[in-house]
Amino acid sequence: MSSEQPKGINTGRIISIVLIAALAALVVVFYIRGNNYKNTLAERDTEVGEMTFEIENLEQDLDEYKVDLENKDLALEEKERMLAEKEQQLIDKQKKIDQLVKSGKISQQDAERLRGKVEQLEYYIKKYQAEIDELKTQLAQKEVQIAEMGGKIDTISGKLSETNRKLDETSFKLETAKILNARPFYFYRTKVSGKEIQETSFREGQLDGMKICFDINQNLAADRGSKDIFVQVIGPDNKVIREESKSGFFKANGEDLAYSSKSTINYDREAMKVCINFDKPASYDYTKGDYRVIVFCEGYDIGNSKFSVK
């Protein structure tokens, strides 16, 4: 009896120790698991907080983008580019939420809540995209209107140019129609006695004085009134014969031309005969050859003829 009692006592003690050790181990395991769970919850809260912060920042960016969308000075292409950036950021946030769920860093419940925020922002993205599409449509319509208006302007400009051309042409014809016409010509040599002899060919020494006459034809388009007539007598040497003290210069074809003699007439659109006396300059002697006579009025050559000296 006395030898069996200690053996039972030892067995009980061993069992007690084992139980205590197992209980202690369980306590440690539960403690570690509890700490790990707390850490996991803390990590999840951190991830959710960071993700929420990112989404809220994107939401603020979209609010600011609304101001840019209404900015008339900002190009439409730039507005569209900025919205595309916001849309890509939203897609990136959605992908990040999916990755966090897959890696167990956030719960499915937190993920759904975050996705709900993303979907709200997607609504504004679509809304702003619709506004941009409307702006693009309006811009395209304006470009068509501008093109049509440009075509109309080109057509009007073409018609205006043609009208101006016709007006210029008509104006030129009217101005041309106003030019007087002098012909035929008559040449007279005058004697000291005052007698006048009509000829077209003279001998040397006969032309101390001469009279040049011509008919100005009827012209109903010409302006009535006083008109200066300039006569050039051009010798065989192609120089204008003139007495410097009695002649001068006049304007014709944009040039200053010398004249031999000048007369003023009063024209009333009816045919009339004009005669101009021309005395030989003291320093000039007629030589053999052909002499040209050109008559000018209002800057135009209105007639010409010639006589000769033999």
Side-chain angles (χ1 to χ4, degrees), residues 230-232 240 242 246-250 257-262:
F230 298 94
V231 176
Q232 286 184 327
V240 177
R242 66 190 188 96
K246 296 181 181 179
S247 63
F249 296 86
F250 66 100
L257 301 180
Y259 64 85
S260 303
S261 187
K262 170 188 173 183

Side-chain angles (χ1 to χ4, degrees), residues 30-74:
F30 282 122
Y31 177 77
I32 292 172
R33 286 185 176 178
N35 281 338
N36 289 340
Y37 182 68
K38 287 181 180 180
N39 291 335
T40 299
L41 288 178
E43 289 178 3
R44 286 183 177 179
D45 288 343
T46 300
E47 293 289 353
V48 170
E50 290 177 354
M51 197 69 218
T52 302
F53 179 74
E54 291 179 12
I55 293 173
E56 288 175 350
N57 280 344
L58 183 55
E59 184 177 12
Q60 184 176 351
D61 287 346
L62 280 172
D63 286 339
E64 293 173 355
Y65 175 75
K66 184 179 180 181
V67 177
D68 292 328
L69 188 62
E70 295 172 352
N71 185 357
K72 294 182 179 179
D73 295 329
L74 193 62

Side-chain angles (χ1 to χ4, degrees), residues 11-33:
T11 301
R13 286 179 178 176
I14 290 169
I15 292 171
S16 297
I17 291 170
V18 170
L19 290 173
I20 291 170
L23 183 60
L26 286 173
V27 169
V28 171
V29 169
F30 282 122
Y31 177 77
I32 292 172
R33 286 185 176 178

Side-chain angles (χ1 to χ4, degrees), residues 214-218 265-268 270-274:
F214 47 86
D215 292 333
I216 293 182
N217 300 326
Q218 181 187 57
I265 64 171
N266 187 27
Y267 186 69
D268 195 29
E270 298 295 332
M272 64 182 295
K273 187 172 184 176
V274 178

